[in-house]
Amino acid sequence: MSTRSRALLAVAVVAAASAVPLSTGPAAAATPTADRQQQYAAASAEYGVPTVVLLGVSYLESRWDSNAGTPSTSGGYGPMHLTDARHVVSLPPRGHHDTDTEDPRGDDSRPARVPAPRSTTDPAPSTAALQTVDTAATLTGVSPDALRTDPALNIRGGAALLRAYQREVGGPIGTDTDPAAWYGAVARYSGADSADAAAAFADEVFTTIGAGESRVTDDGQRVTLAARAVRPDRSWLDRLGLRRLARPDGLECPRTISCEWIPAPYEAFGDGDYGNHDLSDRPARQKIEYIVIHDTEASWATTLQLVQDPTYVSWHYSLRSVDGHIAQHVRTKDVGWHAGNWYVNAKSIGLEHEGFAAQGTWYTEAMYRTSAELVRHLALRLGIPLDRQHIIGHDNVPGTVASTVRGMHWDPGPYWDWTHYFDLLHAPRLDTGTPATGLVRIDPDFATNQPAFTGCVTAGAPCPPRGSSAVVLRSAPAPDAPLVNDVALRPDGTPNTMEVSDHGARASAGQTYALAGRQGDWTAIWYLGQRAWFHNPASAPTASWTVGVVATPKPGKATIPVYGRAYPEQAAYPDGVPYQTISPLQYTLAAGQRYAVGAVLGGEYYRASTVDGSSPGDWTVIRGENRYAQIQFGHRIMYVDLADVRLLPSPVGAPR
């Protein structure tokens, strides 16, 4: 979705549960310590919260990271995700960096539908629900500013909140109490406004406690949660008095996550126009190949308002940041208008995650987990491979034709943690490659990989230090070499930039490319028709080696065209259905270059142009003789005509 006005940031925190007055707890400060593990232990002892409960809640909020004192996509700060909506509103205006002209429907046979930016204002939610930092400040005697920026104090604030919530439900307090009896307090901590969402959050916390975790945080602190078998007492949830969601037949979510049905409207509104999606019968009519990860660029409430507008566009699911709650809007059998490319829309499911790609905010662990559980459920049901050729970002979707490339969206952006997401998906990894096999999988360490992006807040200004899935690509193996050029984004041939929205010189975790050379600590890949270099030292590698299939031009072809959609030839179209031109993009693939193949696909075009399917050819899939190879050509996937290329196993002739 397109970037909205700064006014929407004021409501970036989800409308969560109504506030309940909290009792005050101990006011004495814990003894300061620089060791994060000891900080959790000290806060646990001070407020009488079992350490495993405190660690489990914090892990599900932030994975124990401090995120440099910057807010999450739902306005939470620090390891304990203390929310502070008023402070978020007071931040400087955010820069807008989209060159947005994307038509989310992306179908040339119909007029472009380019949604105008909205100034929708959310109803004011509960102040306390948005301002847990204020309650934590009252309970601890520490200022909100210190709670936001000091990890140790933030942990104390979270412990104080858990103690207060435990008192509300009448539960036992003390570090030696049974963690199972803290289920109600943990559910309350989620900020969820329904029993289903609160329970899903609490269940994930106790699953984490049962499995244990250990990791080094983004600021270099080793934290360990030793596995402990706990059978949570879910009866404590009843004391929160939260509403229970209706779960209608046909809701396409796993039973283990919180999900509700908020339908996107399908209706006509005059002059043959209609919205906000198209009916189909997938996968019986057409195989679903992709799941597309988006962020909303709006708050939860605004997102729901937009998807329920028949004149707007649509997607299949929305995911809430603070607790991972999901709303389904469009049946997976039907086609949403979300990815800016009709070929991809017709063969994909779209997930919108509450968040902002450009603002340097971070995505909560609760949302990552429910998103991964949903995607795994859908992928296994529909036979979609769990890899980066099929689970893609909106920023990986190609423009349909040359004129649309520049305006394509770039969410969820370089701060989405693809490596962690695929770990949560339990996706298989093929790590049997070597440099000789010739395929490179981008794989930086998210926490320590912090490219110097600009423009998160103000155009040209440095972004906050932030872990990233992206590696930066240069025109030569040197740190001061110019970035590579994306000719579609910068037709004058000048280098792309470090602006956070400028994805033309970066590759992302999980994406696979053909090796184009190695020199010292630098590795080159084939990228948009050129060699692109990234820093990949053996002591701290940012990529791994794998095997697979590559596409290269057939002998005798100096260059071949590259396409943004895999459409059939003109002869395949029946009478009355306008031919969709097979139009190449600005790029070419030259002899000697190789690109990793993600799939081989038949040419298809799903015809939909009327609300009732009455137009010639409507609600049918037009198939022809053309076949295509999907390749990782740049940051985005693209397609080449199978008649133009040879498909080879990656070790053949790989450069050394």
Side-chain angles (χ1 to χ4, degrees), residues 37 105 219 368 405 408 425 448 557 614:
Q37 189 85 39
R105 190 164 57 189
D219 53 358
Y368 274 127
V405 173
M408 294 296 290
L425 285 170
T448 58
K557 291 183 177 288
S614 60

Side-chain angles (χ1 to χ4, degrees), residues 120-312:
T120 306
T121 301
D122 295 320
S126 161
T127 300
L130 297 174
Q131 290 293 143
T132 59
V133 73
D134 289 346
T135 305
T138 299
L139 296 172
T140 61
V142 175
S143 72
D145 181 65
L147 289 168
R148 287 193 307 269
T149 56
D150 186 307
L153 296 177
N154 185 275
I155 292 167
R156 284 189 63 225
L161 286 176
L162 279 167
R163 176 190 175 97
Y165 298 156
Q166 183 74 341
R167 280 186 170 177
E168 287 176 12
V169 299
I173 293 174
T175 55
D176 57 350
T177 56
D178 185 355
W182 285 77
Y183 189 88
V186 171
R188 171 76 168 84
Y189 199 98
S190 70
D193 61 355
S194 71
D196 308 65
F201 178 91
D203 287 344
E204 284 291 337
V205 169
F206 281 95
T207 296
T208 301
I209 292 171
E213 290 287 353
S214 183
R215 67 183 295 266
V216 176
T217 66
D218 60 354
D219 53 358
Q221 296 282 319
R222 167 65 67 178
V223 180
T224 299
L225 168 58
R228 177 170 174 177
V230 178
R231 180 177 293 178
D233 183 352
R234 293 179 174 83
S235 66
W236 290 100
L237 180 68
D238 297 335
R239 302 196 182 195
L240 298 180
L242 298 173
R243 66 187 177 101
R244 293 193 177 272
L245 299 175
R247 198 172 181 103
D249 292 341
L251 189 66
E252 298 171 286
C253 291
R255 298 290 306 183
T256 51
I257 59 180
S258 174
C259 191
E260 64 180 315
W261 174 245
I262 301 178
Y266 184 73
E267 58 188 71
F269 42 84
D271 297 325
D273 204 0
Y274 67 97
N276 57 14
H277 58 282
D278 278 298
L279 303 184
S280 189
D281 186 24
R282 307 180 308 173
R285 182 172 292 162
Q286 188 173 28
K287 187 179 187 306
I288 299 173
E289 297 280 354
Y290 308 107
I291 296 176
V292 182
I293 304 300
H294 304 256
D295 73 48
T296 61
E297 298 296 326
S299 72
W300 176 254
T302 295
T303 298
L304 297 188
Q305 289 175 8
L306 294 174
V307 79
Q308 293 176 88
D309 179 351
T311 69
Y312 200 63

